[in-house]
Amino acid sequence: MANVKIKNTISECIAQIQSTDSDYQVKEKALQTLVSITKASPSNRNLVLQNNEFIPIILTLLKSSSSSPTLLKLSLSILFNLSLNPNLKSTLADMTTIHHLNTIILSRGSVESSRLAASLICSLAMLDKNKAVFGVANTIQALLKAVSGSKGHVTHHLLSSLAELAQFHGNCTLAVRADAVNVLLRVVENKDCEDLSGTALVVLGLLARFDEGLKAIVNTPNIVGRMLDVLKGRCMMSSEGAAEILIRVFDESEECLKEAMGLPDLTFVLAEVSVRGSTRAREKASLLLKKLEANESDGEDNLVFMKW
């Protein structure tokens, strides 16, 4: 009986949203009811999506220039709630919906709508087979462009979406080609957004797992010195990320390792992190110190050999 009542409520709400006779207040109340229903339980979410008219109506609201920020926010809230069901992620991640989400995060309109759109992308991308779909739909480029122009707490959600999508190799390639390394480094080095630095470095670390990403990072001017500046900060997550980047950079490039040997502060800073950092930061800093010591020993051995 409860399911029947909920299904009837859902049908009534959808009819009110769809009706040309419904005024703004009626549509807003209907959407608010659907937000509450979809927030309540996974079974309710399945019931909503069983109504074949729901998705087309919501998409109409997303793309309509006449939709108010409130109606847009409520529509996105419903879709986000639905995306929490693993079995609905694939259905929701169709090209039409994704293109609308790209448009919303690039529109520089409502901050709340942009946040919800980014959160929805992140939620849908948690299904691995959806990651490639977002890549095809140019979401990587849209997210990076949005990060470049965003301010405040929206950036965190945009970066979280990038972190989820960058777990797929093809998306890393797209990100590198869209200048992701420089975009992310600007976030890392923005003193006004120090809390975002750790997340941006997580994305850089994901890009560094693949050749094209690692080469782009290695070829970035003064990358060792820039990571040293991060290590000097107080954010533990940033220290972990910077140390991870340096490990990969040193393994890839002898030039970068030589550059590091010429930075007198680096050993001291790494020693500090190896004692006072988080568990992961301490482990990574200790590994970096061993790499520097090994390189110094090799240099001394070569010098002795040359003298002999």
Side-chain angles (χ1 to χ4, degrees), residues 9-266:
T9 302
I10 292 168
S11 297
E12 184 180 338
C13 289
I14 290 174
Q16 289 172 344
I17 297 166
Q18 192 175 29
S19 175
T20 54
D21 295 329
S22 298
D23 60 20
Y24 172 86
Q25 286 76 17
V26 171
K27 290 184 179 181
E28 182 180 341
K29 187 175 180 181
L31 286 168
Q32 286 173 338
T33 301
L34 288 173
V35 170
S36 298
I37 288 173
T38 53
K39 192 175 182 179
S41 71
S43 59
N44 284 0
R45 295 167 202 147
N46 289 328
L47 288 174
V48 169
L49 215 58
Q50 284 175 15
N51 190 306
N52 294 328
E53 296 178 315
F54 173 75
I55 291 294
I57 291 169
I58 290 296
L59 290 181
T60 299
L61 288 174
L62 293 186
K63 70 181 180 181
S64 174
S65 58
S66 62
S67 289
S68 73
T70 300
L71 296 185
L72 180 59
K73 181 184 74 172
L74 291 170
S75 300
L76 288 167
S77 296
I78 296 166
L79 289 175
F80 177 76
N81 290 344
L82 292 175
S83 75
L84 298 176
N85 277 27
N87 63 304
L88 300 181
K89 290 183 188 291
S90 181
T91 304
L92 292 169
D94 65 274
M95 279 295 181
T96 305
T97 304
I98 292 172
H99 285 308
H100 288 320
L101 295 177
N102 291 351
T103 300
I104 290 167
I105 63 174
L106 288 172
S107 66
R108 306 188 194 281
S110 163
V111 171
E112 186 64 13
S113 293
S114 297
R115 182 189 68 80
L116 283 166
S119 296
L120 178 54
I121 289 170
C122 187
S123 177
L124 294 176
M126 288 178 182
L127 181 67
D128 284 343
K129 72 175 185 178
N130 282 348
K131 288 178 171 61
V133 180
F134 280 105
V136 172
N138 296 320
T139 301
I140 302 296
Q141 295 89 329
L143 287 167
L144 287 167
K145 188 174 181 180
V147 167
S148 296
S150 67
K151 293 181 180 180
H153 70 294
V154 175
T155 309
H156 171 72
H157 297 277
L158 296 169
L159 290 171
S160 295
S161 297
L162 278 170
E164 191 62 46
L165 290 169
Q167 294 176 43
F168 175 63
H169 186 182
N171 288 340
C172 286
T173 299
L174 294 172
V176 171
R177 292 174 182 173
D179 200 30
V181 172
N182 286 319
V183 170
L184 293 167
L185 283 173
R186 283 197 291 272
V187 175
V188 170
E189 295 170 339
N190 186 345
K191 301 302 181 184
D192 295 330
C193 303
E194 195 172 348
D195 57 321
L196 300 172
S197 174
T199 310
L201 284 162
V202 167
V203 183
L204 277 173
L206 290 168
L207 298 183
R209 294 178 305 157
F210 304 106
D211 286 345
E212 57 268 65
L214 183 54
K215 286 176 182 175
I217 293 169
V218 166
N219 292 329
T220 298
N222 192 32
I223 188 62
V224 177
R226 293 164 85 170
M227 290 301 101
L228 172 58
D229 287 341
V230 176
L231 287 167
K232 289 177 179 178
R234 291 179 295 179
C235 176
M236 285 298 103
M237 185 177 177
S238 295
S239 295
E240 291 175 15
E244 175 66 25
I245 295 295
L246 286 177
I247 289 169
R248 293 187 181 276
V249 165
F250 290 171
D251 287 343
E252 175 69 14
S253 168
E254 289 186 10
E255 287 301 314
C256 286
L257 192 51
K258 288 178 183 177
E259 181 186 343
M261 299 300 294
L263 296 173
D265 286 356
L266 183 58

